[in-house]
Structure formats: structure tokens, C-alpha cells
Amino acid sequence: MNQSALLRPDWTPATIALMVLGFVVFWPLGFAMLAYILFGERLRDFKRDVNERTDGMFAGCGRHRGRHRHSFSTGNVAFDDWRKAELERLEEERRKLDEMRAEFDTYVRELRRAKDQEEFDRFMRERNSVKRNDNGGSPTEFQTP
């Protein structure tokens, strides 16, 4: 027998034992088990009904996942034309800002690369000068003290 058969909302030995144990441990647990025994079948139907209603209510929302809803109409042609022009202007501004950000990111990346290159060159100069001083002027392997 599997667990779902043991804990079905009915007066089975397992559900009665859990209800009694729930009252002994913490009385609200006992009441919760009693409610499950009495109303469990209704809860399953209630859950199914709520899920179906919610799915139906939000089914239309999947169409409008873009940035703007351009098909929205108020019924006033002048307002809809103005709104469309403003949205296009804002989209153009967003595109310009995105381009400026990309340019700035490239600039910062090049600055970091130049700084890293400078630090690496300085490290190599110091490393080579330490090697020459330790080995009498001939560069060989880097030695640490």
C-alpha cells in the first residue's frame, strides 16, 4: 500500500492515529488532521476549480510579454496617434542610451586592459632587474629568498 492510499481523506487507521498524535503533540495539528479527514475531498475539488479559474484568467496575459503593448487602443484616434509617436520617441531614446552604454563599456574595457598591460610590464621589468642583480647580470630563473 502506498502513502497516498494511507493518507487519503477518510477515516483510516493511519489518519486517526495522525489525528490523535496531532492532538497530543500540538492541538492545532489535531484539528488540521480532523479538517483534512472531513473536508479533504472538497479541498481537492476546490484546488482544481481555483487552478482552472486562475489559468483562464491569466491565459490572455501571455500575449503581452513584450516591452510595450502597441495594439492597445483607447478609442480616441488623436490620443492613440500621440501615444504611438511618444512611444516611438522613447524607444529611439532608449536605443541611443543603449549605444552610449556600449561605447562606454568598450572605453572602460580598454582602460582596464591598458592598466593591466602597464602593471604587467612593470612586473616584468622588476622581475628581470631582480634576476640580473641576483645572478650577476645574466637573466635566468626567478629566485625567491
Side-chain angles (χ1 to χ4, degrees), residues 61-73:
C61 295
R63 291 183 295 233
H64 305 294
R65 294 208 175 150
R67 184 176 290 169
H68 305 291
R69 288 187 241 168
H70 294 287
S71 63
F72 178 76
S73 175

PDB file of all heavy atoms in Angstrom, residues 61-73:
ATOM      1  N   CYS A  61      -2.795  36.961 -20.616  1.00  0.00           N
ATOM      2  CA  CYS A  61      -1.612  37.762 -20.269  1.00  0.00           C
ATOM      3  C   CYS A  61      -0.380  37.324 -21.026  1.00  0.00           C
ATOM      4  O   CYS A  61       0.560  38.095 -21.164  1.00  0.00           O
ATOM      5  CB  CYS A  61      -1.336  37.683 -18.769  1.00  0.00           C
ATOM      6  SG  CYS A  61      -2.640  38.434 -17.783  1.00  0.00           S
ATOM      7  N   GLY A  62      -0.325  36.138 -21.525  1.00  0.00           N
ATOM      8  CA  GLY A  62       0.851  35.636 -22.213  1.00  0.00           C
ATOM      9  C   GLY A  62       1.131  36.358 -23.515  1.00  0.00           C
ATOM     10  O   GLY A  62       2.245  36.379 -23.983  1.00  0.00           O
ATOM     11  N   ARG A  63       0.118  36.966 -24.103  1.00  0.00           N
ATOM     12  CA  ARG A  63       0.315  37.668 -25.371  1.00  0.00           C
ATOM     13  C   ARG A  63       1.097  38.951 -25.197  1.00  0.00           C
ATOM     14  O   ARG A  63       1.730  39.421 -26.114  1.00  0.00           O
ATOM     15  CB  ARG A  63      -1.036  38.012 -25.975  1.00  0.00           C
ATOM     16  CG  ARG A  63      -1.809  36.822 -26.441  1.00  0.00           C
ATOM     17  CD  ARG A  63      -3.068  37.322 -27.077  1.00  0.00           C
ATOM     18  NE  ARG A  63      -3.901  37.970 -26.067  1.00  0.00           N
ATOM     19  CZ  ARG A  63      -5.153  37.680 -25.840  1.00  0.00           C
ATOM     20  NH1 ARG A  63      -5.744  36.777 -26.563  1.00  0.00           N
ATOM     21  NH2 ARG A  63      -5.847  38.295 -24.910  1.00  0.00           N
ATOM     22  N   HIS A  64       1.046  39.557 -24.031  1.00  0.00           N
ATOM     23  CA  HIS A  64       1.597  40.898 -23.818  1.00  0.00           C
ATOM     24  C   HIS A  64       2.886  40.859 -23.022  1.00  0.00           C
ATOM     25  O   HIS A  64       3.053  41.601 -22.073  1.00  0.00           O
ATOM     26  CB  HIS A  64       0.573  41.773 -23.104  1.00  0.00           C
ATOM     27  CG  HIS A  64      -0.739  41.843 -23.805  1.00  0.00           C
ATOM     28  ND1 HIS A  64      -0.884  42.426 -25.032  1.00  0.00           N
ATOM     29  CD2 HIS A  64      -1.954  41.371 -23.468  1.00  0.00           C
ATOM     30  CE1 HIS A  64      -2.146  42.337 -25.410  1.00  0.00           C
ATOM     31  NE2 HIS A  64      -2.810  41.696 -24.480  1.00  0.00           N
ATOM     32  N   ARG A  65       3.821  40.025 -23.429  1.00  0.00           N
ATOM     33  CA  ARG A  65       5.070  39.934 -22.672  1.00  0.00           C
ATOM     34  C   ARG A  65       6.160  40.816 -23.231  1.00  0.00           C
ATOM     35  O   ARG A  65       7.256  40.820 -22.732  1.00  0.00           O
ATOM     36  CB  ARG A  65       5.553  38.491 -22.633  1.00  0.00           C
ATOM     37  CG  ARG A  65       4.595  37.644 -21.841  1.00  0.00           C
ATOM     38  CD  ARG A  65       5.259  36.499 -21.215  1.00  0.00           C
ATOM     39  NE  ARG A  65       4.282  35.819 -20.389  1.00  0.00           N
ATOM     40  CZ  ARG A  65       4.288  34.557 -20.140  1.00  0.00           C
ATOM     41  NH1 ARG A  65       5.218  33.809 -20.637  1.00  0.00           N
ATOM     42  NH2 ARG A  65       3.384  34.013 -19.375  1.00  0.00           N
ATOM     43  N   GLY A  66       5.883  41.560 -24.292  1.00  0.00           N
ATOM     44  CA  GLY A  66       6.877  42.447 -24.884  1.00  0.00           C
ATOM     45  C   GLY A  66       7.084  43.669 -24.015  1.00  0.00           C
ATOM     46  O   GLY A  66       6.542  43.799 -22.915  1.00  0.00           O
ATOM     47  N   ARG A  67       7.885  44.602 -24.526  1.00  0.00           N
ATOM     48  CA  ARG A  67       8.177  45.810 -23.755  1.00  0.00           C
ATOM     49  C   ARG A  67       6.960  46.722 -23.694  1.00  0.00           C
ATOM     50  O   ARG A  67       6.661  47.328 -22.690  1.00  0.00           O
ATOM     51  CB  ARG A  67       9.360  46.533 -24.372  1.00  0.00           C
ATOM     52  CG  ARG A  67       9.769  47.732 -23.579  1.00  0.00           C
ATOM     53  CD  ARG A  67      10.981  48.370 -24.152  1.00  0.00           C
ATOM     54  NE  ARG A  67      12.126  47.508 -23.923  1.00  0.00           N
ATOM     55  CZ  ARG A  67      13.294  47.674 -24.485  1.00  0.00           C
ATOM     56  NH1 ARG A  67      13.496  48.655 -25.315  1.00  0.00           N
ATOM     57  NH2 ARG A  67      14.280  46.854 -24.236  1.00  0.00           N
ATOM     58  N   HIS A  68       6.245  46.840 -24.820  1.00  0.00           N
ATOM     59  CA  HIS A  68       5.082  47.725 -24.880  1.00  0.00           C
ATOM     60  C   HIS A  68       3.926  46.970 -25.509  1.00  0.00           C
ATOM     61  O   HIS A  68       4.109  46.062 -26.293  1.00  0.00           O
ATOM     62  CB  HIS A  68       5.368  48.968 -25.727  1.00  0.00           C
ATOM     63  CG  HIS A  68       6.563  49.732 -25.269  1.00  0.00           C
ATOM     64  ND1 HIS A  68       6.578  50.419 -24.093  1.00  0.00           N
ATOM     65  CD2 HIS A  68       7.783  49.899 -25.821  1.00  0.00           C
ATOM     66  CE1 HIS A  68       7.764  50.990 -23.943  1.00  0.00           C
ATOM     67  NE2 HIS A  68       8.513  50.676 -24.979  1.00  0.00           N
ATOM     68  N   ARG A  69       2.742  47.436 -25.203  1.00  0.00           N
ATOM     69  CA  ARG A  69       1.557  46.900 -25.865  1.00  0.00           C
ATOM     70  C   ARG A  69       1.130  47.920 -26.903  1.00  0.00           C
ATOM     71  O   ARG A  69       0.375  48.838 -26.615  1.00  0.00           O
ATOM     72  CB  ARG A  69       0.437  46.667 -24.857  1.00  0.00           C
ATOM     73  CG  ARG A  69       0.694  45.496 -23.955  1.00  0.00           C
ATOM     74  CD  ARG A  69      -0.518  45.247 -23.133  1.00  0.00           C
ATOM     75  NE  ARG A  69      -0.147  45.404 -21.739  1.00  0.00           N
ATOM     76  CZ  ARG A  69      -1.015  45.482 -20.759  1.00  0.00           C
ATOM     77  NH1 ARG A  69      -2.283  45.460 -20.985  1.00  0.00           N
ATOM     78  NH2 ARG A  69      -0.600  45.596 -19.516  1.00  0.00           N
ATOM     79  N   HIS A  70       1.620  47.773 -28.129  1.00  0.00           N
ATOM     80  CA  HIS A  70       1.330  48.745 -29.175  1.00  0.00           C
ATOM     81  C   HIS A  70      -0.095  48.619 -29.685  1.00  0.00           C
ATOM     82  O   HIS A  70      -0.621  49.541 -30.273  1.00  0.00           O
ATOM     83  CB  HIS A  70       2.317  48.591 -30.333  1.00  0.00           C
ATOM     84  CG  HIS A  70       3.715  48.944 -29.950  1.00  0.00           C
ATOM     85  ND1 HIS A  70       4.112  50.238 -29.736  1.00  0.00           N
ATOM     86  CD2 HIS A  70       4.801  48.165 -29.724  1.00  0.00           C
ATOM     87  CE1 HIS A  70       5.394  50.259 -29.400  1.00  0.00           C
ATOM     88  NE2 HIS A  70       5.831  49.011 -29.385  1.00  0.00           N
ATOM     89  N   SER A  71      -0.738  47.494 -29.504  1.00  0.00           N
ATOM     90  CA  SER A  71      -2.071  47.303 -30.041  1.00  0.00           C
ATOM     91  C   SER A  71      -3.145  47.888 -29.124  1.00  0.00           C
ATOM     92  O   SER A  71      -4.315  47.864 -29.466  1.00  0.00           O
ATOM     93  CB  SER A  71      -2.324  45.810 -30.263  1.00  0.00           C
ATOM     94  OG  SER A  71      -2.276  45.136 -29.021  1.00  0.00           O
ATOM     95  N   PHE A  72      -2.783  48.411 -27.982  1.00  0.00           N
ATOM     96  CA  PHE A  72      -3.742  48.968 -27.043  1.00  0.00           C
ATOM     97  C   PHE A  72      -4.372  50.218 -27.649  1.00  0.00           C
ATOM     98  O   PHE A  72      -3.692  51.099 -28.134  1.00  0.00           O
ATOM     99  CB  PHE A  72      -3.043  49.304 -25.723  1.00  0.00           C
ATOM    100  CG  PHE A  72      -3.942  49.933 -24.715  1.00  0.00           C
ATOM    101  CD1 PHE A  72      -4.849  49.156 -24.023  1.00  0.00           C
ATOM    102  CD2 PHE A  72      -3.886  51.284 -24.462  1.00  0.00           C
ATOM    103  CE1 PHE A  72      -5.680  49.727 -23.091  1.00  0.00           C
ATOM    104  CE2 PHE A  72      -4.712  51.863 -23.537  1.00  0.00           C
ATOM    105  CZ  PHE A  72      -5.620  51.086 -22.844  1.00  0.00           C
ATOM    106  N   SER A  73      -5.665  50.284 -27.626  1.00  0.00           N
ATOM    107  CA  SER A  73      -6.362  51.426 -28.209  1.00  0.00           C
ATOM    108  C   SER A  73      -7.366  51.965 -27.205  1.00  0.00           C
ATOM    109  O   SER A  73      -8.092  51.204 -26.556  1.00  0.00           O
ATOM    110  CB  SER A  73      -7.088  51.003 -29.487  1.00  0.00           C
ATOM    111  OG  SER A  73      -7.852  52.076 -29.974  1.00  0.00           O
TER     112      SER A  73
END
